[in-house]
Amino acid sequence: MEIILKQDIHTLGYKNDIVTVKNGYGRNYLIPTGVAVLATESARKMHAENMRQSAHKQEKIKNEALELAKKLETVTITLGAKTSTTGKIFGSVNNIQIAEALAAQGFEIDRKVIAIKDAVKEIGKHSAIIKLHKEVKIEIAFDVVSE
């Protein structure tokens, strides 16, 4: 079954994407909750017209994301964590801590768009991916030090 997404879904796609899902997932969850609509012929025509009209706005949003990505390339983040004598972190570093560190430097980035590659359980240099736009992703490095 093909559907048109009305909002971003992390595992499925971005707003206004036409995606194929299993019938039960579409009929029982996505369409009743208002997250998607069935991709009928008339819905596809309306979708194409809406995409044509919003192309200029989308280009502006993408350019803003590219500018923010250029600014983020120079940012260095240092996070403190409680560690054992061997350098293992009690718990782990997560995307909330990275978002707070970026906010302290003046970058308001939602924690939901930050993805850490591997679980951060040791001090040292690590990296995370920030998805600013569906076409703009940036990898940012961060240091974890012992408090």
Side-chain angles (χ1 to χ4, degrees):
M1 144 183 284
E2 287 192 334
I3 57 168
I4 301 171
L5 296 177
K6 288 185 172 181
Q7 65 186 35
D8 295 349
I9 298 177
H10 176 66
T11 57
L12 197 55
Y14 295 96
K15 181 178 179 178
N16 293 324
D17 284 350
I18 297 176
V19 294
T20 303
V21 296
K22 291 188 177 182
N23 290 341
Y25 185 48
R27 281 201 188 356
N28 297 329
Y29 177 69
L30 296 174
I31 294 172
T33 57
V35 175
V37 294
L38 190 61
T40 61
E41 193 62 37
S42 61
R44 286 177 189 265
K45 287 179 183 176
M46 285 181 29
H47 174 260
E49 180 64 23
N50 290 340
M51 292 302 294
R52 187 184 64 75
Q53 290 178 0
S54 68
H56 181 66
K57 276 195 273 186
Q58 293 298 327
E59 189 66 30
K60 181 180 176 186
I61 292 169
K62 181 181 174 186
N63 289 337
E64 289 173 359
L66 286 169
E67 289 175 18
L68 182 58
K70 286 179 184 176
K71 292 177 185 176
L72 283 173
E73 286 177 352
T74 61
V75 172
T76 57
I77 299 174
T78 304
L79 300 172
K82 293 183 180 181
T83 60
S84 66
T85 56
T86 61
K88 297 270 187 191
I89 297 175
F90 297 123
S92 65
V93 174
N94 56 24
N95 55 356
I96 296 171
Q97 292 167 314
I98 295 173
E100 289 173 352
L102 288 170
Q105 294 185 10
F107 297 101
E108 290 298 324
I109 295 179
D110 187 20
R111 67 177 177 84
K112 295 175 185 172
V113 299
I114 300 172
I116 300 174
K117 289 183 178 180
D118 299 319
V120 178
K121 300 219 179 242
E122 295 181 354
I123 59 173
K125 293 191 179 285
H126 301 279
S127 63
I129 296 175
I130 301 176
K131 298 174 188 171
L132 299 170
H133 185 266
K134 68 180 180 180
E135 298 174 11
V136 180
K137 297 176 185 172
I138 183 170
E139 187 169 332
I140 190 165
F142 61 95
D143 245 353
V144 179
V145 295
S146 180
E147 285 184 338

